[in-house]
């Protein structure tokens, strides 16, 4: 008989690629993870992992078991959801991870709505970069992620997660007030090929969006200044340090477009876009505590805002 907790360990090893990283995510020691993997191999009668200098990879038998693991763990999430519903599930805590702009745009309004419609649900929010929250859901460090689409993100067909689309928003060009294109109605990205750029650090999903947009326009941006805080990005642009692309909702928390020393314009042709979604472990979307949170996030994202203009 295969123990479900060992399946959790197998998936963590597959996700993190090393025993040490999987152990840290599961709050276990590396030796405990290795022992559980050995026990799982004894239970199945197959070698499931291969260890090498670059980490751990699953054997073909391990890949087969991982496919079933995703289905089994999703079904266990559904079982927990039904049992919670049977026990009413009217009160409890939900942990939610979201990036800062998402907190302001959809999470805070969703919490306000839940306070009226489901006062027994307490949501604990963690400010987390858009690419970090999905691993936290998979590692059971949080229940719900408000995340950003990025290169390498688990896809909509990933068997481990259920995704709920929330909103998409364009990036606008932010230029120093004296920039040659400051008076344009729309900014052709190709015209910024020789400019100095300001942007998020590599690894931030917005960095990927900016770089890919520039690549589609035929150039690689000359990134000179880096900050994951868009207020800092706008401040640097206002000082004449360079140009930037900033998500429209992030501009609401800055002086951009006011007397901030910058000009903000839409991008010509197809604007780079940030796509935001909520994600939970597959099967958990039916949990009586999590389902109202997802509904509240979806409702908050439907509201017309200045960012949707």
């Amino acid at each position: 008989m295969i123990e479900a907790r060992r399946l959790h360990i197998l998936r963590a090893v597959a996700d993190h690629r090393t025993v040490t990283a999987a152990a840290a995510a599961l709050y276990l020691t590396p030796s405990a993870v290795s022992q559980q993997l050995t026990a799982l191999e004894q239970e199945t009668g197959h070698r499931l992992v291969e260890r090498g200098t670059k980490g751990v990879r699953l054997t073909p038998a391990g890949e087969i078991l991982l496919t079933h693991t995703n289905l089994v763990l999703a079904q266990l999430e559904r079982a927990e959801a039904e049992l919670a519903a049977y026990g009413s599930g009217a009160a409890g805590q939900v942990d939610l991870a979201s990036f800062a702009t998402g907190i302001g745009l959809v999470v805070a309004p969703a919490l306000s709505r839940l306070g009226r419609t489901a006062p027994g649900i307490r949501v604990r929010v963690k400010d987390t970069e858009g690419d970090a929250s999905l691993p936290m859901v998979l590692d059971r460090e949080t229940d719900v992620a408000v995340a950003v689409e990025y290169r390498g993100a688990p896809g909509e067909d990933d068997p481990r997660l259920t995704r709920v689309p929330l909103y998409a928003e364009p990036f606008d060009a932010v230029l120093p007030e004296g920039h040659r294109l400051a008076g344009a109605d729309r900014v052709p990205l190709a015209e910024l090929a020789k400019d100095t750029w300001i942007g998020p650090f590599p690894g931030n999903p917005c960095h990927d969006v900016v770089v890919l947009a520039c690549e589609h326009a035929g150039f690689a941006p000359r990134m000179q200044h880096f900050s994951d805080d868009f207020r800092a990005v706008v401040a640097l642009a206002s000082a004449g340090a360079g140009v930037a692309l900033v998500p429209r909702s992030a501009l609401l928390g800055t002086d951009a477009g006011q007397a901030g020393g910058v000009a903000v314009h839409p991008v010509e042709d197809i604007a780079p876009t940030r796509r935001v979604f909520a994600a939970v472990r597959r099967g958990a979307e039916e949990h009586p505590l999590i389902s109202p949170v997802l509904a509240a996030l979806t409702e908050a994202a439907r509201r017309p805002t200045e960012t949707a203009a």
Side-chain angles (χ1 to χ4, degrees), residues 138-155:
L138 292 172
D139 291 338
R140 307 182 73 87
E141 294 178 38
T142 195
D143 301 305
V144 181
V146 174
V148 177
E149 195 70 67
Y150 59 93
R151 208 165 6 189

Side-chain angles (χ1 to χ4, degrees), residues 100-179:
T101 308
I103 291 174
L105 196 62
V106 293
V107 175
L111 264 60
S112 179
R113 175 182 175 83
L114 287 168
R116 300 189 303 272
T117 61
I121 298 177
R122 304 182 308 280
V123 180
R124 184 171 64 175
V125 179
K126 285 184 179 180
D127 184 345
T128 308
E129 288 299 335
D131 60 336
S133 56
L134 296 179
M136 290 173 64
V137 169
L138 292 172
D139 291 338
R140 307 182 73 87
E141 294 178 38
T142 195
D143 301 305
V144 181
V146 174
V148 177
E149 195 70 67
Y150 59 93
R151 208 165 6 189
E156 294 181 4
D157 59 348
D158 192 293
R160 301 168 298 171
L161 295 168
T162 294
R163 299 186 2 164
V164 179
L166 294 179
Y167 65 92
E169 61 173 332
F171 282 59
D172 288 328
V174 177
L175 313 174
E177 208 168 41
H179 193 276

